Amino acid sequence: MAQKPAPLREQTRSVVRALIARTALELFAAKGYDDTTLEEIAAAAGVSKRTLFNYFRNKEDLALNGLSEQGELIAARLAERPADEDPWTALRAAFHALEEMETTLERRLELVTLLFGNESLRAGHAEKQARWQDLFAPLIEPRLPDSDHRPLQARAIAAAAITCLQAATEEWMRLGGQADISDLYDTAVQAIRRPASPPEKTTT
């Protein structure tokens, strides 16, 4: 006789949290973010609304819950990079950690479209990604030449890299996922690292 699955209350906190978050994203995709209620999410996940609030503060927290995990994963990969690697090369390699997340192309496109298609989620997404600076900057700093301004330089590089990643992600969404996001990121980085050429003079 097959063993019955453990009741929900006996599952680990991380499994329950992942279940609720996944259910919420499926409902957001099917009904739209604004038209989905917390009551519907709780019912679809098989938990009470009170239990849902034990894991998430609000609906926005549900939609954005994966960003903190992503930042920590990238930081872990950045810490593993060779010590003599320059910051931009190390960051680019560390960002590949996002490709390790277990998701399909369609699901990732669905999530990105959700995040950037809603003004409040877009703002929350940018705010949470900005917090990645606190994770990345201390790992970037030792890779920079000794200077009184090294902490500032490290934060500036972290902020710029995060902005480039966000710009690349938006462009990837605009292209319907039919592009290599790493190539788009490289293009964004080149734009800010390469000195701007003066506009060509026109002859009259």
Side-chain angles (χ1 to χ4, degrees), residues 51-69:
T51 297
L52 186 151
F53 279 120
N54 286 337
Y55 293 90
F56 299 97
R57 296 188 304 274
N58 48 45
K59 194 162 68 169
E60 182 177 302
D61 190 29
L62 264 167
L64 300 174
N65 89 94
L67 287 174
S68 296
E69 178 187 349

Side-chain angles (χ1 to χ4, degrees), residues 135-156:
L135 297 174
F136 300 168
L139 300 170
I140 293 171
E141 192 174 335
R143 301 173 182 276
L144 298 174
D146 195 19
S147 164
D148 292 340
H149 300 298
R150 194 161 65 166
L152 170 61
Q153 294 169 339
R155 290 192 65 83

Side-chain angles (χ1 to χ4, degrees), residues 54 70 78 87-88 94 110-111 118 144 154 162-164 170 202:
N54 286 337
Q70 290 176 17
L78 182 57
W88 288 101
E110 195 175 81
L111 176 58
N118 181 282
L144 298 174
I162 291 167
T163 299
C164 287
E170 288 192 69
T202 57

Side-chain angles (χ1 to χ4, degrees), residues 174-197:
R174 188 185 70 80
L175 296 172
Q178 300 303 308
D180 188 319
I181 197 166
S182 294
D183 290 342
L184 296 174
Y185 172 77
D186 289 341
T187 300
V189 169
Q190 288 168 8
I192 64 170
R193 297 192 67 190
R194 180 186 301 154
S197 301

Side-chain angles (χ1 to χ4, degrees), residues 18 24 37 48 62 79 83 105 115 125-126 130 135 153 158 180 188 199 203:
T37 67
S48 67
L62 264 167
L105 172 65
L115 295 179
H125 180 272
L135 297 174
Q153 294 169 339
D180 188 319
T203 57

